């Protein structure tokens, strides 16, 4: 009898462990939670039986990069590998230092989304392990083992195509960009090419640094100098949400604001018919992370892999946002 009771107890405990292990699914609201710790260290990089990878993005507090991180981690841990995470908090010099720290700690390869696509070069020059570019490409592509990211030019182009349908007679446009990030550069280029010769005039453009706070400040200044603005194209959703706040505070109600990411917060805005958010060029950080992990594994296992991988992007607007939901990433 005791043996039977013990068997039932073990079965129940195992079931609880399985349920707790399956609780977090990449793309659910849990993946968009605030990050508690800037850096996440592996328990023991020297005694781990699998590979140890490093992860350094532009800013881990950006929900997009947090989901990429969790997607990579999920794929790696399924293979018995580990992930060491460091957050440069938007500082390229700190990022260069942290990459060297991870190398000194014994990581086998690093996943990198550079804070500055040009200024990151010293870290790449010194790295004696594979560096795998994720999301935003470094300028010196010969110094990285691979690149995995979204089709950023298309993400901007689909926003431009939508704007042409919304404003068939053209209008005055503002661009909020971030020249230090090549992914943003490509999005803005795609947008500009899409609206070319369609009656649109770019009345102002500003480096908003990729953040909501900076975008709000820059947009407020632009609106003070340019009362008549019809649309705003932003290099990411965070900047779009900052522009939205500035527009509201300036008493605007009819601007058409675009971003790139497809974040839950942006999609929530799109469910509001009165919101000035008009659409977003949607990415899939889940798929970016999964592909990055697979290619990282292939590199360390000396297997064939693609040097450059682009993940599809597409438009999410008020007409189709319900297809994608607002509780997580696509």
């Amino acid at each position: 009898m005791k043996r039977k009771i013990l068997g039932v107890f073990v079965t129940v405990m195992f079931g609880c462990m399985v349920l707790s292990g399956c609780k977090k699914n990449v793309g659910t609201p849990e993946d968009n939670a605030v990050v508690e710790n800037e850096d996440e260290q592996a328990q023991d990089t020297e005694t781990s039986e699998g590979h140890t990878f490093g992860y350094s993005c532009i800013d881990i507090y950006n929900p997009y990069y947090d989901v990429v991180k969790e997607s990579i981690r999920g794929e790696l841990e399924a293979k018995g590998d580990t992930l060491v995470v460091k957050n440069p908090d938007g500082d390229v010099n700190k990022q260069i230092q942290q990459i060297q720290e991870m190398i000194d700690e014994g990581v086998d390869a690093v996943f990198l989304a550079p804070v500055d696509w040009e200024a990151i070069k010293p870290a790449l020059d010194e790295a004696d392990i594979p560096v795998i570019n994720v999301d935003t490409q470094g300028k010196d592509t010969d110094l990285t083992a691979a690149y995995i990211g979204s089709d950023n030019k298309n993400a901007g182009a689909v926003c431009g195509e939508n704007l042409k349908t919304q404003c068939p007679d053209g209008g005055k446009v503002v661009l909020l960009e971030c020249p230090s990030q090549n992914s943003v550069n490509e999005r803005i280029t795609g947008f500009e090419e899409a609206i070319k010769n369609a009656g649109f005039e770019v009345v102002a453009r500003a480096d908003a640094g990729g953040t909501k706070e900076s975008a709000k400040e820059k947009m407020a200044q632009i609106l003070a100098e340019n009362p008549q603005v019809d649309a705003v194209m932003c290099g990411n959703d965070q900047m779009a949400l900052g522009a939205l706040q500035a527009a509201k505070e300036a008493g605007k109600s009819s601007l058409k604001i675009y971003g790139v990411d497809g974040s839950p917060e942006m999609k929530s805005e799109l469910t509001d018919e009165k919101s000035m958010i008009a659409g977003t060029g949607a990415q899939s950080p889940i798929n970016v992370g999964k592909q990055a992990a697979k290619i990282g594994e292939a590199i360390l296992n000396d297997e064939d892999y693609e040097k450059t991988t682009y993940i599809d992007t597409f438009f999410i607007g008020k007409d189709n946002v319900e297809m994608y939901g607002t509780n997580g990433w696509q």
Side-chain angles (χ1 to χ4, degrees):
M1 178 64 71
K2 288 183 178 179
R3 181 175 297 176
K4 183 176 182 180
I5 293 173
L6 178 60
V8 172
F9 176 77
V10 170
T11 301
V12 171
M13 289 299 294
F14 178 76
C16 292
M17 290 171 65
V18 170
L19 288 174
S20 63
C22 294
K23 183 179 180 182
K24 188 168 187 178
N25 297 311
V26 174
T28 67
E30 293 178 61
D31 294 295
N32 303 317
V34 175
V35 181
E36 296 294 337
N37 298 313
E38 287 194 359
D39 299 340
E40 303 170 20
Q41 302 290 341
Q43 292 296 316
D44 190 342
T45 60
E46 294 184 359
T47 59
S48 174
E49 294 182 3
H51 299 301
T52 299
F53 291 83
Y55 179 79
S56 177
C57 62
I58 295 170
D59 185 355
I60 201 67
Y61 291 106
N62 182 325
Y64 176 88
Y65 289 115
D66 189 35
V67 176
V68 172
K69 176 199 72 177
E70 289 303 315
S71 183
I72 290 175
R73 191 198 301 279
E75 292 291 315
L76 294 181
E77 289 184 348
K79 300 287 187 180
D81 296 333
T82 54
L83 187 68
V84 175
V85 179
K86 289 186 180 288
N87 182 28
D89 198 24
D91 184 336
V92 68
N93 292 317
K94 185 177 179 181
Q95 187 172 49
I96 291 171
Q97 177 184 341
Q98 289 178 339
I99 290 170
Q100 188 58 52
E101 288 175 358
M102 287 190 284
I103 293 173
D104 293 341
E105 290 165 8
V107 300
D108 300 302
V110 172
F111 295 106
L112 171 68
V115 172
D116 187 305
W117 78 310
E118 294 182 300
I120 197 64
K121 186 176 185 295
L124 302 179
D125 285 333
E126 294 297 322
D128 57 357
I129 61 172
V131 175
I132 303 150
N133 235 175
V134 177
D135 180 65
T136 185
Q137 202 164 24
K139 186 172 184 179
D140 300 281
T141 56
D142 58 317
L143 297 178
T144 55
Y147 170 71
I148 305 95
S150 300
D151 186 345
N152 286 299
K153 194 171 182 180
N154 181 69
V158 294
C159 291
E161 293 296 335
N162 181 264
L163 177 59
K164 288 192 294 186
T165 65
Q166 298 293 324
C167 300
D169 297 325
K172 298 182 183 298
V173 178
V174 170
L175 303 177
L176 295 184
E177 49 196 348
C178 184
S180 65
Q181 297 175 21
N182 190 48
S183 56
V184 173
N185 295 339
E186 292 179 345
R187 296 165 191 171
I188 297 298
T189 297
F191 176 83
E192 289 188 281
E193 289 180 356
I195 65 170
K196 187 177 180 180
N197 300 324
F200 292 97
E201 176 190 0
V202 176
V203 295
R205 62 197 309 155
D207 180 357
T211 68
K212 183 187 295 186
E213 295 75 16
S214 178
K216 179 183 176 182
E217 179 183 346
K218 298 288 186 180
M219 192 64 203
Q221 295 173 355
I222 290 171
L223 289 174
E225 299 170 1
N226 301 272
Q228 180 58 47
V229 173
D230 299 298
V232 187
M233 175 62 196
C234 304
N236 66 20
D237 280 357
Q238 291 298 301
M239 288 191 280
L241 293 167
L244 176 64
Q245 291 180 359
K248 286 180 178 178
E249 292 178 9
K252 303 295 182 181
S253 60
S254 59
L255 287 181
K256 299 186 186 306
I257 302 174
Y258 295 87
V260 172
D261 278 336
S263 64
E265 190 174 359
M266 194 75 161
K267 289 185 291 185
S268 291
E269 281 291 335
L270 285 169
T271 63
D272 180 359
E273 286 296 326
K274 296 181 180 180
S275 175
M276 287 180 279
I277 295 297
T280 179
Q283 309 183 82
S284 175
I286 297 171
N287 287 330
V288 168
K290 286 182 177 180
Q291 288 300 315
K294 290 176 182 177
I295 288 174
E297 293 277 0
I299 290 170
L300 293 188
N301 292 329
D302 198 26
E303 299 170 351
D304 292 337
Y305 66 93
E306 293 293 332
K307 175 75 174 178
T308 303
T309 302
Y310 291 109
I311 307 298
D312 290 341
T313 53
F314 50 93
F315 186 76
I316 298 179
K318 295 185 188 298
D319 293 339
N320 67 347
V321 65
E322 296 297 338
M323 292 174 55
Y324 300 98
T326 61
N327 291 329
W329 294 79
Q330 49 287 327

